[in-house]
Amino acid sequence: MKFEVQDRRSFLARVVTSGLALIGAGLTALVGIAAAPRARKTGRRWQRTISVFEVPPERPIAAVIAERQADGWYETRKQSVVFIDRDGDSYQALSATCSHLGCRVRWDATSELYLCPCHGGAYDRSGRVVARPPPLPLQRLAVRVNPQTSDIEVEL
Ligand code: FES
């Protein structure tokens, strides 16, 4: 009789211990999955902008690029603006971000300059600084034309 009680107790103890071990292993796996950093996208990517047929001959045109960015569990949508312009038989792309403090420049057709609304900075059509305070030219981005779609792609 005493042997049966001890046998039952040890069986129950083993069941409870095994159950707790399984729960612990499951929780450990969940914590590991939650704490592991997501694989980050690195490197530069080609982004579609506009078709070559949309670029007017007489002025640059702004193109908005929307991209999703993931940082761990936090996801945001980032918008970048680039100016696409003809450059002889090819195209150039300039970032619309002022090199001074990051305001967005706009193309002014009257002066034929990129003007920054924040502190009066100005750039010529090729992105060179013509009025300070910007310390650097507008960032020039690599450009390619997709031969299948005729879309202009820039490397961000
Ligand atoms: Fe453009 Fe200051 S941010 S001139």
Side-chain angles (χ1 to χ4, degrees):
M1 180 83 169
K2 189 175 179 185
F3 178 75
E4 276 182 31
V5 170
Q6 273 194 337
D7 196 34
R8 190 181 317 156
R9 280 189 184 156
S10 68
F11 172 75
L12 285 173
R14 271 188 257 139
V15 167
V16 169
T17 304
S18 300
L20 289 175
L22 279 174
I23 290 170
L27 287 175
T28 303
L30 285 176
V31 168
I33 290 168
R38 280 188 179 179
R40 288 185 187 201
K41 291 180 183 172
T42 57
R44 302 172 76 78
R45 298 164 317 283
W46 288 98
Q47 298 282 337
R48 180 198 173 279
T49 59
I50 57 176
S51 165
V52 295
F53 305 113
E54 296 176 89
V55 182
E58 71 283 359
R59 63 177 171 82
I61 185 169
V64 178
I65 301 168
E67 56 182 330
R68 217 179 81 220
Q69 291 187 324
D71 184 11
W73 295 102
Y74 189 66
E75 280 192 12
T76 55
R77 288 190 67 79
K78 178 186 168 201
Q79 278 195 342
S80 304
V81 178
V82 298
F83 282 98
I84 306 294
D85 198 4
R86 293 184 186 272
D87 186 15
D89 290 340
S90 90
Y91 299 91
Q92 74 168 5
L94 297 174
S95 167
T97 302
C98 180
S99 67
H100 181 222
L101 293 178
C103 292
R104 186 172 293 170
V105 301
R106 66 175 178 83
W107 174 252
D108 180 63
T110 306
S111 63
E112 297 209 332
L113 295 173
Y114 293 102
L115 302 177
C116 180
C118 293
H119 310 103
Y123 305 83
D124 69 11
R125 192 162 173 170
S126 65
R128 284 187 299 252
V129 178
V130 295
R132 301 259 171 211
L136 297 169
L138 291 175
Q139 183 186 4
R140 187 176 285 261
L141 305 167
V143 176
R144 72 182 182 190
V145 175
N146 184 321
Q148 277 86 40
T149 63
S150 296
D151 288 336
I152 297 171
E153 298 173 345
V154 297
E155 192 174 25
L156 291 179

